[in-house]
Amino acid sequence: MQNAIDRALPELRQIETAVAATPVVDGAGVPLARVVGTSSLPLVDPFLLLDEIGSDEPQAHGAGFPDHPHRGFETVSYMLRGRMRHTDHAGHAGVVEAGGVQWMSAGRGIVHSEMPEPVRDRLWGFQLWVNLPAARKLAEPRYQEFNADSVVEEARSPSTLVRVIAGTTSLGSEGPVRGISTDPRFFDVRMKPGGRFAEEIPRGHNVLVHVYRGSVELGAAELQTGNAAVLGAGERVELRAGERGGELLLLAGRPLNEPVVRAGPFVMNTRDELLQAFRDFSG
Ligand code: MN
């Protein structure tokens, strides 16, 4: 009987590694809080990088991220406040507004600029880098762009709202971003005091939780604003809001388990491929 009970209850994912975001400067002098892509958390396969950008100082981001290339992975921009204006060398242009998302598969390469535009002096958002499998690293670039109205909102209770950007929740809400190789979940979970959130995530996926406001309890641990946790093996994720409520990104993806050779804006599988990228974009 014990085995039957074990099979019936999904295993709870516990915190494996907890980190505090690291202050860094990137682009043309833009201060960021880096969650993934640091020496303490270099990779949560397939997630290569997670940055939070946020300030109420209008001058802090003025220089933005002028023209730069990418190859071999995907960049995801998700804004909470203010806007991010995007232009690429092929003439694609757009603006990610608050609550909206741009999921760009750079594939074999794009050169683009990303310029923050604070609204009422506020700018707050995230950039996530998602790796591409070796077979897709040189694919045609592809954009998926959705405004706030296209992001699916799932009210779990009066205290818990889930904004579903990618992936399908256990209640069947499907985010607008589709067809991504690593089968990602990108959920923005907003809990008021007393709020709870429970979700089944496929056992093979890696899971990252990043708290961007308030605090969040997971098991006996409490993650404060700016803290992130990689969760261990299991299926079920259970989160509770801290005293003042808690808001977080829950990111999950199927790991590629392929070699990662990265430098600056390029993420490839071998050193030769990386050198080729630098040659292709030099000049
Ligand atoms: Mn970029």
Side-chain angles (χ1 to χ4, degrees):
M1 282 309 290
Q2 186 60 45
N3 284 342
I5 290 169
D6 284 349
R7 273 200 301 276
L9 291 176
E11 188 185 353
L12 269 186
R13 288 180 180 261
Q14 310 287 352
I15 293 178
E16 188 175 87
T17 308
V19 296
T22 305
V24 299
V25 174
D26 207 340
V30 183
L32 302 164
R34 183 152 292 167
V35 179
V36 178
T38 64
S39 53
S40 49
L41 191 58
L43 173 74
V44 184
D45 191 1
F47 304 121
L48 300 154
L49 175 141
L50 175 65
D51 282 344
E52 181 172 344
I53 179 170
S55 173
D56 47 13
E57 295 170 34
Q59 300 312 313
H61 313 288
F65 304 87
D67 278 353
H68 59 278
H70 292 294
R71 172 179 282 179
F73 62 101
E74 311 185 285
T75 69
V76 183
S77 299
Y78 175 58
M79 300 303 292
L80 299 176
R81 300 279 186 276
R83 293 188 285 256
M84 190 70 78
R85 183 172 298 276
H86 166 269
T87 310
D88 82 7
H89 71 299
H92 185 95
V95 178
V96 187
E97 306 264 3
V101 63
Q102 180 200 65
W103 197 297
M104 180 192 74
S105 298
R108 65 184 161 77
I110 58 107
V111 176
H112 73 170
S113 65
E114 296 156 285
M115 304 308 278
E117 295 183 354
V119 172
R120 287 187 291 278
D121 291 349
R122 290 288 289 136
L123 186 86
W124 194 4
F126 303 93
Q127 182 153 112
L128 174 71
W129 289 10
V130 184
N131 208 357
L132 281 168
R136 302 286 295 276
K137 280 189 179 292
L138 298 181
E140 283 293 311
R142 176 191 182 201
Y143 287 96
Q144 297 189 63
E145 292 171 300
F146 298 98
N147 60 24
D149 291 344
S150 301
V151 171
V152 177
E153 295 195 340
E154 182 180 279
R156 293 280 177 113
S157 73
S159 305
T160 300
L161 178 75
V162 185
R163 304 193 80 240
V164 185
I165 290 136
T168 302
T169 70
S170 52
L171 300 187
S173 303
E174 185 178 8
V177 174
R178 291 177 190 168
I180 304 299
S181 303
T182 46
D183 187 30
R185 275 78 173 143
F186 187 132
F187 302 156
D188 174 359
V189 181
R190 301 177 179 184
M191 299 184 292
K192 294 176 183 163
R196 290 167 172 269
F197 174 74
E199 184 67 28
E200 312 279 323
I201 306 283
R203 173 167 280 275
H205 277 43
N206 285 331
V207 181
L208 177 77
V209 169
H210 170 60
V211 179
Y212 65 81
R213 181 145 69 185
S215 64
V216 171
E217 297 171 9
L218 198 162
E222 184 165 20
L223 301 169
Q224 304 295 329
T225 304
N227 290 166
V230 180
L231 306 191
E235 289 115 15
R236 188 175 174 82
V237 176
E238 288 187 3
L239 307 170
R240 301 180 308 280
E243 232 171 47
R244 297 163 292 121
E247 306 189 5
L248 63 120
L249 299 185
L250 185 151
L251 307 172
R254 186 167 54 222
L256 293 170
N257 297 311
E258 292 177 353
V260 174
V261 181
R262 64 196 286 182
F266 307 126
V267 183
M268 305 304 292
N269 299 113
T270 70
R271 184 173 162 74
D272 280 351
E273 292 168 353
L274 190 65
L275 293 173
Q276 186 63 49
F278 277 101
R279 281 194 295 273
D280 290 348
F281 287 94
S282 69

